[in-house]
Structure formats: structure tokens, C-alpha cells
Amino acid sequence: GESVGLHLPTLSVQEGDNSIINCAYSNSASDYFIWYKQESGKGPQFIIDIRSNMDKRQGQRVTVLLNKTVKHLSLQIAATQPGDSAVYFCAEKKYSGGGADGLTFGKGTHLIIQP
Amino acid sequence: GAGVSQSPSNKVTEKGKDVELRCDPISGHTALYWYRQSLGQGLEFLIYFQGNSAPDKSGLPSDRFSAERTGGSVSTLTIQRTQQEDSAVYLCASSSLDGVNRARGYTFGSGTRLTVV
């Protein structure tokens, strides 16, 4: 079936370095993508989103890149800080079509910031 | 309240017992969702309420699972005759936004960690 997944379950980076978290999706009809951050014991929190008519979007210290040709999504975090340690999920959503107004989430990547 | 509140935060139950999980969404949020998060897995959609419309139950894994939302506010997820595979974190989210912005506006609760022994 169609699914959203992540390449690496765990990513360890040095504090201050940049990190890149990757996501592969297989539903070519998906036209909206979101990155969420989930800290331990908390629910996911919205970070940044991107629509399929864009290939890049920047936020504060975060950038999301979308490559529709290879169905790949990435989240770049600049100058990582200890507070960036969390599990990061990508999610896809279809605008059109009926059914559940829900998101399909990947399994998540655990980002660990080394001091 | 300031955020989505879920109770209890932790629940341990014996196999075969029924459990009720509660979600208090942000006041005024018309959309409410239940998700399940198993260990090391992504979020699995369960059910969606939007205003007074019939809920979308397409994600419920079996007829042991049911949910209701009273008065368009508080929601209760009920699991009957719990099984060990029901052990997971159950997350509730609400949103006030419409259409394409709805997912952007999701506010999740901290979840209920259910352990079936």
C-alpha cells in the first residue's frame, strides 16, 4: 500500500552542526506535506509545511525541501541546539478525494544532539 | 483551556477489560481527531469528528473501538475487551482551521499511554 516513511530511525549530530532528516513518500497524489516535532512525553508539534507546487520553504532555522520527481522530502535544521532533540515525523495529506481528513505519518526519526 | 487535555495520562488495564480515554479539545475547535502511536511507529489515524457531521470512523481497527463527541466538545474513545496489541499511546488533536490549513492548525494533546497486561 501507499505509505510515508523515513530513511533513518536515529540521527546523531553535534550541537551547532546542521542536520538533515529525510522522508520518502510513495503516494504521488499527495499534495501537502508537514513536518512535526515530538518531544518526549508530548504530542507532535507543527514545525513547517509545504505544498506540492513548491520545492523549498524556509522557516526559522528550518528548511523543508520537496523533490516530487523522486518523491522525497527533507527537513534541514541549521545550527542544532539541545532543544532540537526529539522525534521528527513527516506527514502527507491529499487535498482531493473523500475519506478521512487525516494525515499519513511516517515512523519518525529520532534526532539526538551531542554536546 | 490553553491546550488539548487528555486523561488519564497513563492507564494500565487487564486484558479483557474496557477502558475509556478522554479528550478535551481547545475551546471552539470544530475538528477533533484520534490517533494511535505504537512503540517505534508513526501515528495511525483512528477517527475524525468535524462539527455536527457524522464522524469518519474509517481508521478504527476493530469493532471493539468506538468514540463519541458530546456537544461538539469533549470526546471519549472507548476500547472494549482490551487486548495486549491495544497497548499504545493514544493521541487526540483538535483544529479550528478549515480546508487546506486544517492540518497546519493541529494541536495535539500529550496522549494517554495505555498498557494492557
Side-chain angles (χ1 to χ4, degrees):
Chain A
E2 295 175 329
S3 64
V4 175
L6 292 171
H7 293 307
L8 297 175
T10 302
L11 176 64
S12 183
V13 299
Q14 293 292 125
E15 181 179 349
D17 286 353
N18 299 333
S19 64
I20 300 175
I21 301 171
N22 295 304
C23 179
Y25 66 96
S26 58
N27 188 345
S28 58
S30 293
D31 46 18
Y32 179 58
F33 305 88
I34 306 175
W35 281 100
Y36 287 91
K37 172 185 180 182
Q38 185 175 25
E39 296 175 271
S40 180
K42 298 182 180 180
Q45 181 180 16
F46 171 89
I47 301 175
I48 192 168
D49 58 357
I50 189 167
R51 300 182 185 182
S52 60
N53 61 351
M54 304 170 67
D55 54 19
K56 180 179 180 179
R57 189 156 189 234
Q58 289 186 294
Q60 185 177 10
R61 283 202 304 118
V62 295
T63 300
V64 56
L65 299 176
L66 176 63
N67 186 331
K68 294 181 288 294
T69 302
V70 295
K71 299 188 185 68
H72 185 268
L73 190 69
S74 68
L75 177 70
Q76 299 178 359
I77 304 175
T80 52
Q81 303 170 357
D84 295 330
S85 292
V87 176
Y88 291 81
F89 294 93
C90 65
E92 63 175 329
K93 183 178 174 70
K94 286 172 54 177
Y95 282 154
S96 59
D101 180 46
L103 301 174
T104 302
F105 286 80
K107 293 184 178 181
T109 292
H110 187 193
L111 178 64
I112 299 171
I113 308 302
Q114 303 282 2
Chain B
V4 176
S5 177
Q6 291 188 247
S7 60
S9 55
N10 283 283
K11 176 71 176 179
V12 180
T13 189
E14 293 181 350
K15 178 181 174 181
K17 299 286 188 182
D18 297 352
V19 294
E20 285 190 352
L21 312 180
R22 177 185 169 104
C23 173
D24 280 281
I26 293 174
S27 179
H29 279 197
T30 57
L32 186 148
Y33 307 79
W34 283 97
Y35 285 86
R36 178 169 69 176
Q37 185 175 29
S38 301
L39 186 63
Q41 300 294 314
L43 277 67
E44 175 190 3
F45 168 78
L46 297 177
I47 189 169
Y48 159 53
F49 296 88
Q50 173 60 49
N52 295 321
S53 301
D56 184 332
K57 305 178 182 180
S58 60
L60 295 178
S62 77
D63 58 8
R64 295 187 296 105
F65 288 73
S66 63
E68 62 178 21
R69 188 180 185 191
T70 54
S73 180
V74 172
S75 178
T76 302
L77 177 69
T78 301
I79 308 174
Q80 295 178 311
R81 305 181 302 282
T82 52
Q83 304 294 314
Q84 288 185 329
E85 59 263 29
D86 298 335
S87 296
V89 175
Y90 289 82
L91 289 162
C92 176
S94 69
S95 178
S96 64
L97 302 181
D98 293 322
V100 303
N101 291 318
R102 183 176 293 129
R104 165 188 272 262
Y106 277 25
T107 300
F108 282 88
S110 296
T112 293
R113 181 175 297 279
L114 176 67
T115 304
V116 181
V117 298

